[in-house]
Amino acid sequence: MSHSGVVESHTFCLPVNNIDTDQIIPGQFLTTTEREGLGRFCFYSWRFDENGSERPDNPFNAFDSSSQQVLVAGSNFGCGSSREHAPWALLDFGFKAVISSQFADIFRNNSLKNGLLPVQVDQSVAEHLLENPGKPVRIDIRSSTLSVEGLGEFQFLLDPFSAYCLTRGIDQLDFLLENEQKISQFEQAG
């Protein structure tokens, strides 16, 4: 995540409801605990056929990770089995945030713990974004706001600890390691 706490990008839209974690990264690619390199398997079966050849109807043919770092998807994004590989793959593919009207709870939690920002918005905002692919958006993590060009500014829920970690580009383990000395001092004092 951006250390500035702001993501400014055009959107990339997948107007599909109930995108599950197996669609985000199929089970056969879950053999690693490394985060790097998983982007090549992101939405693999949507991008490639059973022989590994690129599908002509691949929805990612026009995807540009340098200018489209915000994915907008249909409702119930990230449903299915729990796998941290899903946010890892999305991040490695080039996304910094996902906007949807509804997220599966486990996916949302895994995303926040791993640096991917899930932005839940009202159905009307999600529909506007899905109907207008490539729309410029600005996400401010500190104020938990999403600004959509031509539509307005919208609040989204984000707990302070997740916001702290996202704006610093750290995860929960990094947070503990940053505070290792304070933790040791506390333990010795008690």
Side-chain angles (χ1 to χ4, degrees), residues 111-125:
S111 294
L112 289 170
K113 290 176 184 176
N114 288 285
L116 180 69
L117 177 61
V119 178
Q120 188 165 327
V121 296
D122 288 340
Q123 184 67 33
S124 60
V125 176

Side-chain angles (χ1 to χ4, degrees), residues 154-170:
F154 306 92
Q155 289 287 142
F156 60 91
L157 292 176
L158 183 63
D159 67 279
F161 180 70
S162 293
Y164 177 90
C165 290
L166 286 166
T167 57
R168 286 161 180 79
I170 62 171

Side-chain angles (χ1 to χ4, degrees), residues 9-13 128-129 132-137 148-151:
S9 175
H10 292 270
T11 60
F12 181 82
C13 296
H128 174 83
L129 289 169
N132 296 279
K135 190 88 163 169
V137 296
V148 180
E149 186 177 276
L151 191 63

Side-chain angles (χ1 to χ4, degrees), residues 55-113:
R55 294 181 180 276
D57 60 348
N58 170 3
F60 293 92
N61 278 337
F63 173 66
D64 177 3
S65 63
S66 67
S67 65
Q68 296 175 307
Q69 298 171 343
V70 176
L71 172 63
V72 181
S75 182
N76 197 27
F77 187 82
C79 57
S81 62
S82 168
R83 53 183 73 166
E84 286 185 309
H85 293 73
W88 292 351
L90 289 163
L91 284 163
D92 196 57
F93 196 65
F95 293 114
K96 293 182 177 181
V98 179
I99 299 173
S100 179
S101 61
Q102 179 189 4
F103 289 95
D105 288 339
I106 293 172
F107 174 82
R108 184 181 196 291
N109 290 332
N110 280 339
S111 294
L112 289 170
K113 290 176 184 176

